[in-house]
Amino acid sequence: RVSDRASGSETGITVAQERAQHKKVSEWQQTAVERSIFVKFMLQHMEKCGCKVDNEKFFVVRHCDENVGGGFDEGASKMGGVVLCQNHIRDYNHTEATLTHELIHAYDHCRAYVDWSNCVHHACSEIRAASLSGDCKWWQEMQRGHMKVKGQGSECIRRRATLSVSMNPACQAPGQAEDAVKQAWARCYPDTAPFDRLP
């Protein structure tokens, strides 16, 4: 879950700048919902699982305190909701990648009982999201300065899943997030649903 703040004054940007950020990211989000193959695919499969999304309510664009592009808010509704962080989203491609990642969480939330306070449950969804969303494509890793050739994909997925789980207030004890990823790995890494294989 990503937190927000009540007022924009503490960030040092003007209200006009914040409105411009919101408008731009909202437009990118709408474009992705209408045109992105991956976003449309995930929304179609959520509907097949009984979770038809109301775009107006399910997607929220707002300021986030955490340095992340977005998040899945399981408490937003029965189906949860996807947050895009207007102060951290860089461009349309970042919007599309963030939506794809968060929609994998939404799909997991829809198709199975996920207790997000259970670190292993959370780790399972993070492993799948990092693996299936393209977070760990070789060019993404090169941009992050990780250029190991052999095993870089799975190393990236473990690293990013551990980082995400460690942000969960229920999973912040030393080593807890890493242990949860290890426990979930064998069952969750091979699970590519709703894709037939790794996209």
Side-chain angles (χ1 to χ4, degrees):
R1 183 175 289 202
V2 286
S3 59
D4 64 349
R5 44 143 185 81
S7 164
S9 60
E10 59 203 67
T11 64
I13 66 168
T14 67
V15 172
Q17 287 171 319
E18 191 157 2
R19 284 183 183 148
Q21 282 179 340
H22 186 273
K23 181 175 184 290
K24 180 174 60 178
V25 176
S26 296
E27 288 169 355
W28 289 334
Q29 176 259 308
Q30 189 58 42
T31 300
V33 167
E34 291 170 0
R35 299 183 189 170
S36 166
I37 293 168
F38 287 112
V39 171
K40 286 165 66 178
F41 178 84
M42 291 306 303
L43 290 171
Q44 286 164 5
H45 280 271
M46 283 185 65
E47 185 171 354
K48 285 179 184 177
C49 287
C51 296
K52 183 172 171 56
V53 166
D54 178 344
N55 293 344
E56 295 292 318
K57 296 177 181 173
F58 188 75
F59 298 104
V60 175
V61 176
R62 62 169 167 77
H63 179 100
C64 303
D65 288 338
E66 294 86 354
N67 187 18
V68 293
F72 176 69
D73 182 358
E74 76 279 5
S77 72
K78 180 184 172 189
M79 293 184 295
V82 170
V83 174
L84 286 174
C85 298
Q86 66 192 41
N87 50 319
H88 297 301
I89 290 284
R90 298 182 298 272
D91 52 31
Y92 172 77
N93 290 335
H94 190 201
T95 304
E96 183 182 27
T98 301
L99 285 172
T100 303
H101 180 109
E102 301 308 335
L103 283 169
I104 290 162
H105 294 318
Y107 175 81
D108 287 348
H109 189 73
C110 173
R111 73 171 178 154
Y113 172 71
V114 179
D115 176 359
W116 296 97
S117 66
N118 179 312
C119 303
V120 177
H121 283 201
H122 187 178
C124 183
S125 192
E126 291 296 351
I127 289 164
R128 286 177 27 76
S131 175
L132 299 173
S133 68
D135 284 356
C136 291
K137 298 286 187 192
W138 67 269
W139 56 270
Q140 293 271 47
E141 279 291 84
M142 281 187 69
Q143 288 179 336
R144 297 181 190 119
H146 300 286
M147 291 178 270
K148 180 178 164 187
V149 177
K150 192 172 182 182
Q152 186 59 52
S154 60
E155 192 173 292
C156 168
I157 293 163
R158 289 177 193 274
R159 185 183 70 248
R160 293 181 67 78
T162 300
L163 178 64
S164 293
V165 174
S166 71
M167 294 173 71
N168 182 335
C171 308
Q172 294 182 341
Q176 192 173 11
E178 188 175 357
D179 288 345
V181 170
K182 284 178 184 172
Q183 287 181 57
W185 185 263
R187 180 173 55 90
C188 303
Y189 178 65
D191 180 2
T192 61
F195 300 93
D196 293 331
R197 59 185 184 277
L198 282 174

